[in-house]
Amino acid sequence: MPTYEYQCEECKNKFSVVLSISEHDKGNVACPKCKKKGLKQLVTPFIAQTSRKS
Ligand SMILES: [Zn+2]
């Protein structure tokens, strides 16, 4: 599954989460520190490598 990186707009905490595509589409990610949902997604250049196993 791809890893997404986020930065919280509230407390500037940066963190990464592993989400399925559908979970990511729902946008249900909250900051683990302050539980806010105002998150900015950061670019992760290494997404493709982990999910290629066919
Ligand atoms: Zn936060």
Side-chain angles (χ1 to χ4, degrees):
M1 278 196 275
T3 304
Y4 299 94
E5 276 205 52
Y6 292 95
Q7 181 171 32
C8 178
E9 307 250 293
E10 193 74 19
C11 66
K12 307 299 179 194
N13 180 38
K14 272 191 199 173
F15 60 99
S16 54
V17 283
V18 179
L19 291 175
S20 67
I21 303 290
S22 60
E23 278 178 306
H24 174 252
D25 281 351
K26 283 186 223 159
N28 251 345
V29 186
C31 173
K33 259 194 181 172
C34 69
K35 313 293 184 197
K36 296 274 182 176
K37 287 194 174 176
L39 302 176
K40 188 167 77 178
Q41 190 174 351
L42 306 175
V43 182
T44 48
F46 52 86
I47 285 177
Q49 293 190 354
T50 46
S51 56
R52 283 225 169 194
K53 262 191 178 173
S54 57

